[in-house]
Amino acid sequence: MDVLSRPLIDRTLPLLAEGYAWLPNRMRDTPGPVVRTRILGRPALALRGPEAVRFFYDERNVHRHRAIPEPVLATLFGHEAVHTLDGVAHRTRKSLFLPLLEPGRIAGLVDRVTAAWDEAVPAWSRRGSVVLFDEASTVLATGAHRWAGIPLDDADAEATARDMTAMVDGFATAGPRHLRARRARSRQEERLGRLVGDVRSGTVTAPAGSVLDLVCRHRDADGEPLDEKTAGVELLNVVRPTTAVAWFVAFTAHALHKWPEHRAPLADGDMRFTAAFAHEVRRFYPFVPFLGGLAARDLYWRGEWVPAGGLVMLDVYGQNHDESLWGDPYAFRPQRFLERSAERDELIPQGGGDPGAGHRCPGEGITVGVLEALAVRLARTEYTVPEQNLTIPLHRVPTRPHSGVLLSGVRPPAVAP
Ligand code: HEM
């Protein structure tokens, strides 16, 4: 039977049921790293591998406009966000985020986040136990706001962090988690849209050169400033994912619990090992399952076909666990990144390609920098991990250790890190 006449049963339900394992399972059943299927009523082609990354990020093949379903826009990214743009409109909007790649900006954020962490840990000590995921998200939201020049009262930090994580937690489900995510987004878009209005009217001053300042002054490809709602959406596209580094902090604690031999080199401040550890956390643990765009024209990949307008999916989780790239993909082994570098189109937890030219995450340097700093702090902190459910269910997207990683008897390091 040729590819065109193969029946294509819609696979949206198995996807929702199997989560991270769905595409890798389908890939195992096919001779090459490509799967032809049907998702959300559209014919779809799923790819993986460094060459597939280059194919996927070539705008002549795949575009993003109208590619992201409304429930994902209404929770995770926001309507009219940079994620939804192509061509000149995308490049112009993306220029707003490219300064986030500068080492000086990354260092500034790392300083703010580590200061917030050091302020918070003594209070964790006074409590019997804390859920690390929740505490880390509050620390990250606090640090991100201070660095971005966005006012946030300490009293509001926890609720704001809960909104940030809710938007990520609820994008891929129906039901209460999804409704929570929609409400969180409306609340935060309204808060930040109002702030943009206040800055522009002179009621509030944005620190010169801060993210808030850049967003308020940005002009899109049409020469117009962002309307208040879209400006709020893009401010959220900085503070929300920075807060979401809490997922990787929880995974870090999980890794240190399961493989305690990694604690000493982190605590000793071995910088090469710390960088390798951060990459391995991002590779090994499940966060982004796959990425999607629409075929800009009829496309063929490795003999499989998808018509113009069909869905093209990049199998992110599958590629980060592809035996042909990693050898022993299901072993947590930071040393692999001492033996080899993290190649641009091989390690793709935050997308592939060039962040300046395509949709790759502009926050990768921030994520790695913050994760390194917090992994070292966690390794230097004394605590116990009481009996709890640390399983990471692969059918749940996004997933995390079930308990959020409960820590008890937290004792800050005697000497400041
Ligand atoms: C895009 C993952 C942290 C800002 C993306 C994409 C992924 C991703 C998979 C989409 C790539 C694509 O569509 O091809 C992550 C993960 C993070 C993280 C797992 C860790 C928690 C950050 C941070 C920031 C950020 C810290 C900013 C401070 C963005 C923006 C985009 C994006 C603005 C849209 C880029 C575009 O469409 O051109 N991220 N990200 N992310 N990320 Fe991140």
Side-chain angles (χ1 to χ4, degrees), residues 22 43 49 51 56 64 78 89 130 147 153 157 161 190 200 204 303 309 356 379 410:
W22 173 73
E51 274 178 57
F56 179 81
R64 305 299 180 98
V130 292
W147 166 78
D153 286 346
E190 198 189 310
R200 287 178 177 160
V204 169
V410 177

Side-chain angles (χ1 to χ4, degrees), residues 7 10 60 100 152 225 337 343 349 380:
D10 194 284
R60 288 168 302 181
L100 304 182
L152 180 67
F337 289 110
E343 291 299 322
R380 289 179 179 170

Side-chain angles (χ1 to χ4, degrees), residues 84-410:
T84 66
L85 305 175
D86 295 304
V88 179
H90 175 250
R91 278 191 295 284
T92 313
R93 183 77 67 80
K94 189 73 180 268
S95 67
L96 190 49
F97 297 93
L98 294 181
L100 304 182
L101 293 163
E102 292 164 9
R105 289 220 182 231
I106 296 172
L109 176 61
V110 170
D111 285 350
R112 299 300 181 119
V113 169
T114 51
W117 175 280
D118 295 341
E119 283 166 30
V121 172
W124 305 354
S125 302
R126 289 191 292 276
R127 286 152 59 187
S129 57
V130 292
V131 174
L132 179 65
F133 176 80
D134 295 341
E135 301 303 328
S137 60
T138 305
V139 161
L140 287 156
T142 302
H145 278 76
R146 289 178 186 166
W147 166 78
I150 303 173
L152 180 67
D153 286 346
D154 285 350
D156 297 331
E158 198 180 326
T160 305
R162 288 304 83 80
D163 274 354
M164 300 296 158
T165 55
M167 284 180 240
V168 181
D169 194 49
F171 82 91
T173 67
R177 272 165 64 202
H178 189 75
L179 290 180
R180 227 179 354 259
R182 281 183 182 262
R183 280 198 295 268
R185 169 159 292 281
S186 304
R187 219 172 4 245
Q188 295 301 328
E189 280 185 4
E190 198 189 310
R191 172 179 74 104
L192 295 174
R194 207 174 333 112
L195 174 64
V196 169
D198 288 346
V199 170
R200 287 178 177 160
S201 69
T203 325
V204 169
T205 305
S210 63
V211 170
L212 176 60
D213 183 34
L214 297 182
V215 169
C216 288
R217 289 192 291 108
H218 174 79
R219 285 179 187 270
D220 254 349
D222 59 5
E224 293 297 317
L226 298 176
D227 61 68
E228 287 175 14
K229 183 170 165 22
T230 309
V233 163
E234 299 300 23
L235 283 173
L236 274 180
N237 278 329
V238 174
V239 288
R240 184 202 67 257
T242 306
T243 308
V245 176
W247 264 266
F248 287 141
V249 175
F251 290 139
T252 293
H254 182 273
L256 291 180
H257 180 62
K258 282 203 76 170
W259 302 287
E261 65 274 20
H262 300 315
R263 188 174 286 273
L266 289 175
D268 290 348
D270 177 341
M271 285 167 65
R272 279 192 69 230
F273 181 84
T274 304
F277 180 91
H279 284 324
E280 185 67 343
V281 167
R282 296 186 312 127
R283 183 198 71 81
F284 179 80
Y285 285 99
F287 198 2
V288 174
F290 54 78
L291 294 165
L294 298 184
R297 56 195 167 90
D298 285 8
L299 292 179
Y300 289 87
W301 178 251
R302 301 274 162 96
E304 295 285 2
W305 170 80
V306 70
L311 194 60
V312 186
M313 301 159 87
L314 182 65
D315 180 17
V316 170
Y317 178 75
Q319 180 165 331
N320 287 338
H321 295 81
D322 184 341
E323 201 175 344
S324 68
L325 286 173
W326 309 104
D328 51 356
Y330 290 96
F332 183 83
R333 209 171 60 78
Q335 288 79 0
R336 75 177 76 247
F337 289 110
L338 298 175
E339 296 155 8
R340 56 171 290 171
S341 52
E343 291 299 322
R344 191 188 81 167
D345 295 336
E346 291 183 357
L347 179 68
I348 56 161
Q350 295 176 239
D354 172 3
H359 283 271
R360 190 188 191 116
C361 177
E364 212 164 358
I366 285 176
T367 305
V368 172
V370 167
L371 186 57
E372 287 174 354
L374 296 187
V376 169
R377 272 170 165 71
L378 202 57
R380 289 179 179 170
T381 305
E382 277 184 46
Y383 55 82
T384 51
V385 179
E387 198 60 35
Q388 61 191 286
N389 183 355
L390 281 171
T391 52
I392 299 171
L394 280 186
H395 66 271
R396 188 193 200 278
V397 178
T399 190
R400 60 184 168 89
H402 190 271
S403 59
V405 190
L406 187 68
L407 306 180
S408 61
V410 177

